[in-house]
Each structure stands twice: as structure tokens, then as C-alpha cells.
Amino acid sequence: MGFLVPVTLFGWIPFVILLFILLPPRRAVIAAFLLAWLFLPMAGYGVKGLPDYTKMSATTFGVLIGAALFDTDRLLQWRPKWIDIPMLLWCTSPMVSSYVNGFGLYDGCAEIVRQFIIWGLPYIIGRIYFNDLESLRELAIGIFIGGLIYVPFCWFEVRFSPQLHKWIYGFRQHSFIQNVRDGGYRPMVFMQHGLMVGMWMGMTTLIGLWLWRSKTIQKVWDIPMYLLMPAMLLTVYLCKSKYAVLLLATGIGALYLTKLVRTKALLVCLLLVPLTYTMLRATGAVTGEGMISLAAQVFGEERAASLGMRINNENLLAQRAMEKPFFGWGAWGGARVQGENGKDLITDSLWIITLGKYGWVGLLGLMGTLLLPMILVIRDWRVELWQHPLVGPVVVLAMVCALYMFDHLMNGMVNPIFMLAAGAVGSAHFVFPRMARRATPRQMVQARPVFGAQPRPA
């Protein structure tokens, strides 16, 4: 590793504190998370008894320190609500799994701390700092701009291969060969894998499209959205992640069809897919052969072979997980399965990893955390308001959280920016009375000063 790795990682907490000095607290949070996620190295330093010190743990700790120093009242006013139960379940399920598997209190506490730093802290920061419609609008625009910033870097690596991380930080963050696709390259930039970049660009493009459609924004940096969005869509295609393209198309189709037919039934069915899929796959009712055949017809034999390896591995891992279905095998490899070569099977999908480690209790906590924002939007907001400039950001951030759960059906890469969004949408549920959320579009226009005002703590 190059000398910039320790310089940037250990210098990040002071930099985040400086952001709190120079910027309003909310913008400091957005800048800290986005800059870290987009540009810091994919590296970590071991800390005894704690998770590795990485760019995201540095960011969350830096934000908490900055908030404690410069925004203490906001930090102390936050109170947990019932919507935080899925996150609580997700973060504490490792303790139960550790206990029932006889690994002891220390192991359980260590896993809780790890889970809380990776998932819980970004979620709580989202709950604290983005708790009115104007702040959710600011968060959505910030995430979209994060996607725009990555466009030239993605184009560069598509042309010259994934090199930026190696040139700047002195090492490759992942296997080079896995990012050679379709006669070219898919970019990694400063993220863990090309698939993560594809997902990031797909979701930021979805956010941009809906913000544009809802007239939340019309220009960025004085460039009209009708020029920016084709560049974003092209970048998603160039990332060469077919699943990211599929999720983008799913999000666009679900939002626009819901608005067109003015019924939420389509989205309710969509939210049932992760639970239904995992139950059928875990019990062996669906072996995945049909998915492999379909992939061969649509995407070709190479992609079908890759999917087939994942599906077949998951079948064996699911059988092992179902030996302890409720609380799993814990975090010490009990859920692993060895192949014919004596090596552990590769596990790509977070759902099967979670089911094996923490059982259905942990998996339901994960799904509840990521699907609840969209459930709240379905419950709270009339479809006629979904393209209102103030409500559009809430809707699209909730959709991104749901699609993030869909991504975990195939992949297992964590993006804390989406956890900020999950916490933010949850806070929006408590900000305004039900009457306001059920207002007509005309009433929303008249009430904009009220809806945008600083609410009571969420």
C-alpha cells in the first residue's frame, strides 16, 4: 500500500471535524459520507476488539465527534422509535446467534459492535440529520451529485481499465480479471468492485430521473437535466453490470407505473419479492434452474455460467443454513460448506450469508430495515403527491432502499450511503401529522413553508 492510504484514512476524522467548522452540519454530513465513499481507499487497519478501521468507520466516528462538538443539541434530542426495531433486530441478532452456538458473550458483543458500526451508525445519522422534507431533498440531490461526480472517472476506467485506485493508493482493491467484461472493462474507481460501482451509478441515475420528473431539480452546475441524464444512463450501461441495469429498470418501471395507474398494489407485490424469493430458495422449493436458463437466453452462456455457480453454491449453503434456521450458526464459519476440492464455497449474496450466520431472525431484521422505508411511503403519501417537488425525494430514496435489498439477493457489498437514506425516510414518517401527508397537491403547494420548516426531533 502507498503512503496515501494511512494519510487519508487517519487524517479523515480531523477532516470531517473541519467540515463541521466550515459547513452547516447537515451539509457537512453529506460531504463527509460522499467524499469518503467515492474517493478514500478500500483498505482497513485492524483494531483489537473492534472492527477494522476503514473509510466508513472513520466517517461515522468523525461525524459523531463533529456533531458532539458543534451540534450537540441535535444529537441529544434524537430518540428511538418503533421504526428502529428492524435495525435493532439486525444489529443484535449476532448476540443471540453467538449465545445459542456457545461462542460466549465476548464474541456476541464484538459482532454487535461490528454490525452497529457498519449498519447502525449510518442509519442513526440519517435519522438525526435528515428529518424534514427539505433535508431529504438535500440528501437526495447530494447523492445524485455523487453519481455525477463519478461519471468522468467511470468513463476513464472504461477506456483505460481499472487503474485509478492502484495509481493513487498503490494496490488493486479487487481482482483485475473480474472487471474484464464484454470485450472491455467495467470501472471500479475507488470502490470494492465493479458491481458496486454499477449499483451506485444505477441508483443515483434513478434518483436523478425522479428528481427531474418531479421538478425537484432542473439544473446542476447550470447544466440542464436533459443533458445530464443521458450521460448518467450511458454510464450505467458502460459499467457492464446487467443486474444493476435490471434494478434501475425495475425502479423506473415501478415508480412510473404506480403513478400512471394510481394504485400502490404493484409496489406491494414488489416488496414481497425478497421475502418470497428467500423462503423458496432456502427451503429448496426453487432450485434456480429456470433462472439460469433464462439468463442464458437473455444475457448469453458466459453470464449464465456465472449465475449458475452462484445459484448452485447457494443451494448447498441453504441446506446447511436450514439445519439451524432460526438463529443460524454464528460468525465463526459454521455455516460454510466445502466443495469437492476441499475449499469453502464462494458466497456472493448477503441473504444467504445472513441466513447462515444469523438465521431467519437476522435476515428478517435486514429485510425489515431496507423495505420498511418504502412501506412507510406507501402508507403515508398519496400517489398523487409522489411527484411533488418535496415528496419526490422521499419516494425515490425509499425505492433505492428497497432495490438495495434486491441487490443483496445476488451480491453482498455494503453501501452506507443507502443506510443514511433508510434512516432519513424513517424520520419523515414522524415529522408531519397524517392529515398533512394526505394533503392534495394544491394543499401541498400552499403548505410548502410548513412542510419545509424545521420539525420537532424525529
Side-chain angles (χ1 to χ4, degrees):
M1 289 190 286
F3 77 97
L4 282 178
V5 174
V7 169
T8 53
L9 285 181
F10 291 107
W12 194 248
I13 290 180
F15 178 75
V16 173
I17 296 173
L18 179 63
L19 288 177
F20 272 84
I21 297 174
L22 299 176
L23 299 174
R26 185 183 295 155
R27 293 195 175 184
V29 171
I30 296 174
F33 271 89
L34 285 176
L35 290 175
W37 189 242
L38 297 180
F39 295 114
L40 289 189
M42 291 300 305
Y45 290 88
V47 180
K48 187 175 181 180
L50 292 173
D52 289 349
Y53 178 80
T54 64
K55 60 183 180 180
M56 274 301 108
S57 59
T59 301
T60 52
F61 291 147
V63 167
L64 289 177
I65 293 172
L69 293 175
F70 303 105
D71 203 16
T72 310
D73 290 344
R74 187 194 297 263
L75 196 62
L76 295 178
Q77 285 174 346
W78 179 75
R79 296 292 183 274
K81 303 286 187 179
W82 66 264
I83 61 168
D84 302 318
I85 293 175
M87 176 56 76
L88 178 66
L89 185 64
W90 173 228
C91 288
T92 58
S93 58
M95 172 63 82
V96 182
S97 297
S98 178
Y99 176 79
V100 300
N101 284 283
F103 293 135
L105 181 63
Y106 178 84
D107 176 76
C109 290
E111 284 297 301
I112 285 180
V113 171
R114 174 185 172 277
Q115 201 90 319
F116 182 68
I117 292 175
I118 295 174
W119 296 86
L121 282 180
Y123 171 86
I124 291 174
I125 292 170
R127 289 270 284 109
I128 292 172
Y129 274 97
F130 306 99
N131 56 2
D132 62 42
L133 297 188
E134 289 287 0
S135 65
L136 266 83
R137 174 181 177 274
E138 195 170 350
L139 176 61
I141 293 173
I143 295 175
F144 171 60
I145 290 175
L148 286 176
I149 291 172
Y150 246 35
V151 168
F153 297 99
C154 289
W155 289 6
F156 177 88
E157 290 202 339
V158 167
R159 174 62 181 85
F160 296 104
S161 80
Q163 298 290 346
L164 292 173
H165 196 282
K166 184 176 185 300
W167 288 349
I168 294 176
Y169 294 115
F171 69 101
R172 296 192 188 280
Q173 66 272 47
H174 207 279
S175 169
F176 181 84
I177 195 64
Q178 287 196 16
N179 294 283
V180 178
R181 284 291 181 271
D182 302 330
Y185 307 102
R186 60 185 179 194
M188 285 194 291
V189 197
F190 300 103
M191 293 190 184
Q192 179 182 347
H193 195 282
L195 294 175
M196 182 177 283
V197 176
M199 181 66 180
W200 171 253
M201 295 307 303
M203 294 302 97
T204 53
T205 299
L206 175 62
I207 291 172
L209 282 170
W210 197 251
L211 293 180
W212 182 29
R213 181 67 180 85
S214 62
K215 296 183 174 56
T216 303
I217 54 173
Q218 296 298 312
K219 293 182 179 180
V220 176
W221 306 314
D222 289 328
I223 303 174
M225 290 291 287
Y226 63 78
L227 295 179
L228 294 174
M229 292 318 304
M232 292 287 289
L233 290 166
L234 175 61
T235 306
V236 177
Y237 171 75
L238 292 176
C239 286
K240 298 180 177 66
S241 173
K242 294 178 175 61
Y243 193 51
V245 173
L246 177 62
L247 291 181
L248 172 60
T250 300
I252 294 172
L255 289 176
Y256 277 90
L257 283 175
T258 299
K259 177 63 177 176
L260 180 65
V261 301
R262 296 192 176 187
T263 177
K264 302 172 182 177
L266 177 64
L267 279 177
V268 172
C269 294
L270 184 68
L271 295 181
L272 290 174
V273 170
L275 178 61
T276 304
Y277 175 85
T278 53
M279 289 183 64
L280 293 176
R281 295 283 291 118
T283 58
V286 172
T287 61
E289 294 180 1
M291 296 168 58
I292 299 171
S293 300
L294 180 61
Q297 297 174 11
V298 177
F299 301 120
E301 293 295 335
E302 181 182 356
R303 293 294 87 220
S306 176
L307 177 64
M309 184 184 70
R310 293 189 184 203
I311 293 296
N312 292 330
N313 286 352
E314 285 180 3
N315 290 337
L316 297 174
L317 291 164
Q319 294 176 16
R320 178 65 171 170
M322 286 297 96
E323 294 177 20
K324 292 188 176 183
F326 297 109
F327 302 110
W329 290 87
W332 288 94
R336 305 294 300 179
V337 176
Q338 293 184 340
E340 296 178 355
N341 58 3
K343 296 182 179 180
D344 287 345
L345 296 179
I346 297 174
T347 51
D348 294 295
S349 310
L350 186 60
W351 82 268
I352 192 64
I353 296 172
T354 301
L355 185 65
K357 284 185 174 181
Y358 312 130
W360 280 110
V361 173
L363 184 56
L364 290 175
L366 173 64
M367 285 194 286
T369 298
L370 296 178
L371 299 181
L372 183 58
M374 196 71 235
I375 294 172
L376 293 175
V377 167
I378 291 172
R379 177 183 181 272
D380 290 343
W381 298 98
R382 294 158 52 100
V383 174
E384 292 82 0
L385 294 175
W386 284 18
Q387 289 184 347
H388 187 281
L390 283 173
V391 182
V394 183
V395 175
V396 75
L397 288 177
M399 175 57 73
V400 165
C401 293
L403 294 175
Y404 184 41
M405 183 62 233
F406 276 72
D407 184 54
H408 288 318
L409 300 180
M410 292 293 167
N411 301 305
M413 289 167 283
V414 180
N415 187 328
I417 306 295
F418 299 148
M419 298 316 301
L420 275 180
V425 176
S427 285
H429 173 74
F430 295 100
V431 170
F432 305 106
R434 187 175 180 85
M435 181 185 301
R437 295 195 296 264
R438 293 291 179 175
T440 65
R442 181 182 296 275
Q443 291 170 332
M444 282 288 291
V445 172
Q446 296 171 347
R448 180 176 179 124
V450 176
F451 275 77
Q454 183 68 28
R456 61 181 183 274

